[in-house]
Amino acid sequence: MVRVPLTDEERERGERLGQALRAARAGRSMVDVAAEAGISVETLRKIETGRIPTPAFFTVAAIADAVGLPLEELRAAVTPAASPPLSQAS
C-alpha cells in the first residue's frame, strides 16, 4: 500500500498539535505522561515534535486526558483561525 504524502497544512497541524500537548504537559515528565496515556515515551516524543503529524484519535485523546487538556481546547489550539468549526464545514 502506498501512503499519500501529507500536505503542508497537515504537517503544520501536526506541529501545532505537538506544541499544544507539550505546553499542556508543562512540568510533567514525558515518562509520567506516556505511562498515564498508555503509550511509549518515543511515541509521545514523536507526536510532540510533529514527527507523527496524524496520530490516531484515541492516542491523542489519551494524551489530552493525561495532561488534563479538554479535547475542545486542543481542537481550538490546532485549528487555524481561518478554518470554520467542524460542525459548520461542508
Side-chain angles (χ1 to χ4, degrees):
M1 181 169 109
V2 176
R3 189 170 188 161
V4 177
L6 297 174
T7 65
D8 288 340
E9 181 180 304
E10 290 169 324
R11 278 191 289 281
E12 290 169 7
R13 185 179 59 223
E15 290 173 6
R16 288 190 303 272
L17 172 66
Q19 291 168 355
L21 291 172
R22 187 171 44 252
R25 181 168 57 83
R28 292 184 60 195
S29 75
M30 291 182 98
V31 173
D32 290 342
V33 171
E36 188 173 334
I39 62 172
S40 72
V41 174
E42 186 59 24
T43 297
L44 179 58
R45 180 179 288 109
K46 288 178 180 178
I47 291 170
E48 285 190 356
T49 59
R51 289 179 44 215
I52 300 178
T54 57
F57 171 77
F58 291 105
T59 300
V60 173
I63 298 167
D65 187 50
V67 298
L69 180 62
L71 289 177
E72 186 59 31
E73 286 182 31
L74 180 58
R75 186 193 64 80
V78 172
T79 304
S83 296
L86 293 177
S87 61
Q88 295 178 5
S90 309

